[in-house]
């Protein structure tokens, strides 16, 4: 669940089948008799027609026959329709009624924006603005998550290559850790020109390690070097030769990455 603040109203957004549904209940919570507005809007003939068109476009299980009956009744003084009735009669997916802690009436964003326009065009515009801001933040976070997961995958490829080719059987754990650290320093030397210990000695007041202070270009290059080093290890290349090749690759890639416009934007 996500939340956005629109003109002092905190509005919940949930995902249903990977689609965004916005709380209509939250939209009218600060309005006197606000909850009654949802059913009043739902009884409007124009609303019924809009919902029917939306459902026919996106819902293959929509009960069109039942919908026609509701549409013919809409607008009459005796016409009454709740969200629950609409969902049960038409098998609607555009509007849902949720129970529990985050309960209330939720609608697909297309429908939620239509409801917001009916309540207040001013409110609708700010709702769209905040919703788009939320989506932009989520995309940025997704980008960082992908980068982090790719780094984990590359790290596994690198450590597996070390394990399968450089670690003898029944080696003590401390010796195994030394080999992993030693190979990590091959990458550090190729990219940063120093080992992790040398960096710590030069920066005694900084927490973490040398890679924690790398910029985007360096992290991208480091990920590529891990893959290359894994290939070189599997090929049986000597460590000294690997370091020389990795350093050459690092120099070339850093030149390219430092000039790439997309990387500059990430920075």
């Amino acid at each position: 669940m996500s939340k956005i603040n629109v003109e002092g109203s905190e509005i919940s957004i949930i995902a249903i089948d990977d689609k965004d549904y916005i709380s209509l209940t939250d939209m009218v919570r600060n309005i006197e008799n606000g909850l009654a507005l949802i059913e009043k809007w739902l009884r409007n003939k124009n609303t019924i027609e809009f919902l029917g068109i939306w459902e026919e476009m996106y819902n293959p299980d929509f009960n069109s026959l039942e919908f026609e009956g509701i549409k013919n009744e809409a607008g009459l003084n005796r016409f009454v329709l709740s969200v629950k009735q609409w969902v049960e009669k038409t098998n609607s997916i555009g509007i849902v009624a949720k129970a529990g802690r985050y309960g209330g009436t939720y609608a697909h964003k297309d429908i939620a924006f239509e409801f917001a326009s009916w309540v207040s065009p001013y409110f609708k515009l700010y709702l769209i603005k905040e919703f788009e801001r939320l989506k932009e933040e989520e995309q940025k976070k997704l980008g960082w998550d992908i980068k982090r997961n790719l780094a984990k995958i590359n790290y596994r490829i690198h450590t597996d290559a070390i394990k399968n080719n450089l670690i003898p059987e029944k080696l003590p754990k401390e010796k195994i850790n030394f080999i992993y650290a030693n190979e990590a320093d091959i990458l550090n030397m190729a990219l940063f020109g120093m080992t992790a210990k040398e960096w710590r000695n030069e920066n005694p007041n900084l927490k973490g390690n040398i890679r924690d202070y790398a910029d985007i270009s360096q992290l991208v290059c480091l990920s590529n070097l891990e893959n290359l080093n894994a290939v070189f290890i599997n090929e049986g290349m000597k460590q000294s030769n690997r370091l020389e090749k990795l350093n050459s690759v690092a120099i070339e890639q850093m030149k390219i990455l430092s000039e790439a416009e997309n990387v500059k934007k990430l920075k």
Side-chain angles (χ1 to χ4, degrees):
M1 170 176 288
S2 303
K3 288 183 180 290
I4 56 176
N5 191 290
V6 182
E7 294 297 284
S9 296
E10 191 174 68
I11 298 173
S12 302
I13 301 172
I14 61 174
I16 299 177
D17 295 331
D18 294 326
K19 301 294 189 299
D20 291 308
Y21 280 67
I22 303 173
S23 173
L24 306 188
T25 304
D26 288 346
M27 287 189 203
V28 298
R29 194 179 299 278
N30 295 331
I31 301 175
E32 187 176 356
N33 298 320
L35 294 179
L37 286 177
I38 298 175
E39 291 195 2
K40 185 177 180 181
W41 171 72
L42 193 57
R43 292 197 299 269
N44 185 283
K45 192 175 186 69
N46 290 334
T47 299
I48 295 298
E49 290 178 344
F50 173 83
L51 293 177
I53 293 170
W54 189 94
E55 294 288 345
E56 287 173 347
M57 287 178 65
Y58 300 108
N59 182 6
D61 298 320
F62 183 57
N63 191 331
S64 298
L65 185 63
E66 191 69 38
F67 162 69
E68 288 299 325
I70 293 174
K71 186 171 70 171
N72 291 334
E73 289 286 316
L76 298 177
N77 291 337
R78 65 175 180 272
F79 179 67
V80 177
L81 183 68
S82 67
V83 172
K84 184 178 179 181
Q85 289 171 328
W86 167 256
V87 173
E88 290 178 349
K89 289 181 178 181
T90 67
N91 199 30
S92 161
I93 62 172
I95 300 179
V96 297
K98 301 282 287 184
R101 181 180 178 186
Y102 301 109
T105 299
Y106 288 81
H108 184 279
K109 64 181 179 65
D110 297 345
I111 299 170
F113 292 152
E114 185 73 11
F115 174 70
S117 183
W118 184 81
V119 173
S120 164
Y122 176 87
F123 183 83
K124 175 189 177 180
L125 290 174
Y126 277 93
L127 174 65
I128 293 174
K129 179 182 178 181
E130 289 303 311
F131 179 81
E132 290 178 344
R133 182 189 59 77
L134 174 67
K135 293 293 107 179
E136 287 176 2
E137 290 180 355
E138 288 179 350
Q139 286 299 316
K140 289 178 182 177
K141 184 178 184 299
L142 177 62
W144 284 111
D145 286 344
I146 291 172
K147 185 170 76 71
R148 186 162 56 245
N149 288 331
L150 283 174
K152 289 180 180 178
I153 293 170
N154 285 337
Y155 178 76
R156 178 62 185 270
I157 292 172
H158 188 234
T159 54
D160 278 0
I162 296 170
K163 178 181 178 181
N164 295 332
N165 294 277
L166 301 181
I167 300 178
E169 293 183 7
K170 296 183 180 180
L171 195 65
K173 186 176 181 180
E174 60 271 18
K175 295 292 185 181
I176 293 175
N177 291 338
F178 172 79
I179 292 175
Y180 281 127
N182 182 258
E183 281 302 319
D185 269 339
I186 293 298
L187 301 180
N188 290 336
M189 285 292 294
L191 180 59
F192 304 112
M194 64 178 69
T195 66
K197 183 177 180 180
E198 287 172 340
W199 180 88
R200 284 193 298 271
N201 291 337
E202 289 186 11
N203 301 276
N205 297 323
L206 294 180
K207 294 181 179 180
N209 60 63
I210 189 171
R211 300 185 184 190
D212 293 329
Y213 296 89
D215 62 22
I216 296 296
S217 297
Q218 290 171 323
L219 290 174
V220 171
C221 184
L222 180 62
S223 179
N224 294 335
L225 294 182
E226 284 181 329
N227 282 333
L228 282 173
N229 197 36
V231 172
F232 295 158
I233 291 172
N234 288 328
E235 290 177 349
M237 190 181 295
K238 288 183 178 180
Q239 190 180 77
S240 58
N241 292 339
R242 285 191 281 113
L243 176 56
E244 185 177 359
K245 281 185 171 291
L246 291 169
N247 181 238
S248 296
V249 171
I251 292 170
E252 185 63 29
Q253 289 197 3
M254 286 303 297
K255 287 180 180 178
I256 296 171
L257 290 169
S258 63
E259 297 172 358
E261 290 298 322
N262 289 339
V263 174
K264 289 179 181 177
K265 290 179 182 178
L266 283 174
K267 291 180 182 178

